[in-house]
Amino acid sequence: MSSTTAAEQLSATTLLRFATAGSVDDGKSTLVGRLLHDSKSVLTDQLEAVEHASRSRGQEAPDLALLTDGLRAEREQGITIDVAYRYFATARRRFILADTPGHVQYTRNMVTGASTAELTVILVDARNGVVEQTRRHAAIAALLRVPHVVLAVNKMDLVGYEEGVFARIAEEFTAYATELGIPEVTAIPISALAGDNVVEPSATMDWYGGPTVLEHLETVPVSHDLSGCHARLPVQYVIRPQTAEHPDYRGYAGQIAAGTFRVGQEVTVLPSGRTSRVSGIDLLGTPVDVAWTPQSVTLLLEDDVDISRGDLIVPSGDAPATSQDVEATVCHVADRPLTVGQRVLLKHTTRTVKAIVKEIPSRLTLDDLSQHAEPGELVANDIGTVRVRTAEPLALDAYADSRRTGSFLLIDPADGTTLAAGMAGESFATERPAAPAAGADDEGWDF
């Protein structure tokens, strides 16, 4: 009886997706390991394996960083290379954690891990303060429109737990984050190695009265794009059983990307522009009057409309414009470069169309947010603007309005390799002045 109650309580808790980022040796993996260990989210055999690995390396105490650095190369070098996903839960909330690497050559890995995050924890070594990589991680969080950022000032034990050190770092980072347009920053002084302010409040930093890292993760508001957002349903499959029981059933199945749909609502199908009205909604085989993101549903319409996979169902009067010309910021993730004139496939939600890269107006340097006009190509880990011409019209929202329907992938048609991840619309929440390269004119598209 009690186990059933616990399961019901767990299913009722909210889910928070968050990512961690930090420079090399800032203690990011140790923080994640401490978070898992002190929240009782580590299985006994996992802890025993870490203790054994630590002893084999001559360490007396367990190295909690090994709980997340799973690749052999990571353990040998003491760094994070791949994105490590961890799932854990407390009584108040469930979590999906993406532990991302800090090296500049793994920028694409951080973009992957933070692309679906609602919160990013950026670590800073209290001895070094805000460094180049810190600014780079903040810029990526701003580009990806992560709504909540936590600045974890780590290794406070190595600076004598001094309040002034923490205050200076927090002030510098917050000012930079505000310039990028990051809406919220929460600064927390911690020692991941000693456990200060990670799960339990620190006894040595009584001058700090804010939440611990876990407490903030458990209480930060989580938005799941319910009724306040533009409703969008990318059609994944058309259901037509054509059986004696359901001779005329025609449903359009998919996962609601954003917003809410109701029976009786007038909708428009894109890119055709045909309109109809929702006559029914099936959720897990049961008729309902209303459904919202991220539920997977089947919509039934009053009219027999020609709809296929890749079409987008939206409320009439709240439809994005359709166009064959896409301007976006992209992060190049493939080892082969992206070049002007290259033929690609563009995958947007459930729709995949042929496209050509018409222009690469600029490449962004994350170190100082300068832009290099007309770079000609983007290579691995580059972030830049592109103009793409598609063979068929697409209905993209601005990424600032919807991270689901404002994003897309560029794919190599030859072998299906993902080339770049794109975000439609303006790059940052605040406009940034262009800084053309020497000898270049000002005609490139600005970030």
Side-chain angles (χ1 to χ4, degrees), residues 359-373:
E359 294 181 69
I360 303 179
S362 60
R363 174 173 56 83
L364 174 68
T365 299
L366 288 176
D367 304 344
D368 56 6
L369 300 182
S370 63
Q371 301 139 43
H372 299 267

Side-chain angles (χ1 to χ4, degrees), residues 188-208:
I188 304 175
I190 67 169
S191 171
L193 187 63
D196 293 284
N197 286 335
V198 178
V199 173
E200 300 295 335
S202 172
T204 55
M205 289 184 281
D206 53 3
W207 45 265
Y208 173 73

Side-chain angles (χ1 to χ4, degrees), residues 351-384:
R351 188 178 187 85
T352 301
V353 299
K354 296 178 180 178
I356 297 178
V357 179
K358 302 296 289 185
E359 294 181 69
I360 303 179
S362 60
R363 174 173 56 83
L364 174 68
T365 299
L366 288 176
D367 304 344
D368 56 6
L369 300 182
S370 63
Q371 301 139 43
H372 299 267
E374 303 295 340
E377 66 177 17
L378 298 177
V379 299
N381 297 305
D382 276 352
I383 293 176

Side-chain angles (χ1 to χ4, degrees), residues 139 143 145 327-331 360-366 369-375 378 382-387 423 425-436 442 444-447:
L143 281 170
R145 308 290 174 133
E327 294 184 349
T329 302
V330 301
C331 175
I360 303 179
S362 60
R363 174 173 56 83
L364 174 68
T365 299
L366 288 176
L369 300 182
S370 63
Q371 301 139 43
H372 299 267
E374 303 295 340
L378 298 177
D382 276 352
I383 293 176
T385 55
V386 297
R387 289 181 180 143
M423 297 157 281
E426 293 294 330
S427 301
F428 293 100
T430 56
E431 293 186 5
R432 310 194 58 79
D442 292 330
W445 182 56
D446 298 339
F447 278 86

Side-chain angles (χ1 to χ4, degrees), residues 330-353:
V330 301
C331 175
H332 194 64
V333 300
D335 292 328
R336 69 194 73 165
L338 183 71
T339 58
V340 175
Q342 186 171 348
R343 297 179 182 273
V344 296
L345 297 177
L346 189 153
K347 185 179 189 306
H348 173 244
T349 63
T350 57
R351 188 178 187 85
T352 301
V353 299

